[in-house]
Amino acid sequence: MNLLPLPALLRRHHRPVLMVGVALSIAWALVWFLAGASLPGPQWLQAQQQDLLGLVHAQPLSAGLGFFLVFTLMSALALPGCGLLALGAGLCFGWLAGTLLVLVASTLGATLSFLAARHLWRDAVHRRWGHRLRRIEEGLARDGAFYLFTLRLAPVIPYAVINPLLGLSSMPTRQFFGVSLAGMLAGSAAYVYAGTTLAQVRGWGDLFAPGLMAALLALALLPWLVRAAWRRGS
C-alpha cells in the first residue's frame, strides 16, 4: 500500500472526478430538456422546504438532534447522501447552525470510523500487512498532520478509505479529530451555503443565482487551489 505524495494523488484522482461531474451535468441537462415538464419544479422544492421548516420550528431540539445523529451515522458508515443532507441543513437550519451541525457530525462520524479500525481491526491487519503499513507511518512522519488536513480540503481519496486507514496508523485520536474538524470546515460551509440559496429559488432561473453558482464553483475549484498552494509551499 504505497502512500503517494499529495500532488501525485491530486493529479491522479481529480481528472476522473472532474470528468464524472461534467458527465453528470450533461446528463442532468438532457433529462431536463427531454422531460422538463414532468420533473419536480421550484414549487415542489418550496413545498418540501415548508414542511421541513414546520417540523424544525415545532421541535427545534428534536429536529437538530435527529439530524445530527443521522448525519453522524451516515458519515461513520460512509453511506451515500451526506452531501444532500448538508444541503438540507442549509435549507432547514440556516448557514451558521447548519454548518456547525454538519461539521461536528461529519467529524464525529469520521472519528468513529477511525476508532473502529484502531480498536477492532488493528492487530489483525498488523499481523498480515504490517510491512505495508510501515509506508503509511513514513508518510505521516514526513508530512505530519498537514497531510490529513490537505486531504480533508481536497477529498481526492474517499473518506471511507482515509478514516480507517489512519486509524491503523500512530496518529493520536485528538489530532485526527482536530485536523479533520479544521480541514472539513470549508467544504461543510460551502455545501450548507448552497443549501441556504436553494431556499430563495422561485423559478428555474434562480438555480443559476450568483450565490449558488459561487458555492458550487468553490467546491469545484477547491482541489485545484489546494494543489497550487501545495506547489507554492514545497
Side-chain angles (χ1 to χ4, degrees):
M1 185 181 298
N2 188 16
L3 190 64
L4 295 175
L6 186 60
L9 284 172
L10 290 170
R11 290 193 299 269
R12 181 176 177 181
H13 293 277
H14 183 64
R15 182 172 297 177
V17 172
L18 181 62
M19 293 176 63
V20 170
V22 172
L24 290 176
S25 299
I26 294 174
W28 179 84
L30 287 174
V31 171
W32 183 16
F33 176 77
L34 295 175
S38 62
L39 292 177
Q43 294 77 14
W44 177 87
L45 178 63
Q46 292 173 4
Q48 302 306 311
Q49 180 194 1
Q50 292 305 317
D51 291 341
L52 291 173
L53 287 177
L55 176 63
V56 171
H57 290 159
Q59 298 179 332
L61 293 179
S62 298
L65 180 60
F67 177 89
F68 182 84
L69 293 176
V70 170
F71 201 107
T72 300
L73 180 62
M74 291 182 65
S75 178
L77 299 177
L79 297 177
C82 288
L84 291 177
L85 277 182
L87 293 174
L91 278 170
C92 297
F93 302 103
W95 182 71
L96 180 58
T99 299
L100 289 175
L101 281 172
V102 169
L103 178 61
V104 177
S106 57
T107 304
L108 180 58
T111 305
L112 291 175
S113 177
F114 172 92
L115 291 173
R118 170 159 295 180
H119 296 291
L120 298 179
W121 310 327
R122 184 184 181 98
D123 293 340
V125 171
H126 266 291
R127 283 195 299 269
R128 186 169 183 180
W129 294 300
H131 63 290
R132 297 185 179 182
L133 289 175
R134 280 197 295 270
R135 297 182 181 180
I136 299 175
E137 298 285 2
E138 292 170 0
L140 290 174
R142 181 181 64 249
D143 298 319
F146 183 70
Y147 194 91
L148 173 60
F149 178 77
T150 311
L151 288 179
R152 291 303 193 196
L153 285 175
V156 294
I157 299 177
Y159 290 158
V161 177
I162 296 176
N163 299 331
L165 192 65
L166 289 175
L168 300 177
S169 71
S170 60
M171 175 174 282
T173 304
R174 288 184 179 180
Q175 186 180 60
F176 176 86
F177 184 90
V179 173
S180 297
L181 189 70
M184 290 193 283
L185 174 60
S188 299
Y191 268 107
V192 175
Y193 179 75
T196 62
T197 61
L198 291 177
Q200 309 303 320
V201 171
R202 297 294 182 269
W204 287 115
D206 294 336
L207 292 175
F208 301 95
L212 180 58
M213 291 296 100
L216 296 177
L217 183 62
L219 289 171
L221 291 180
L222 196 56
W224 295 97
L225 296 176
V226 172
R227 177 180 174 183
W230 180 279
R231 284 182 170 179
R232 176 172 294 185
S234 60

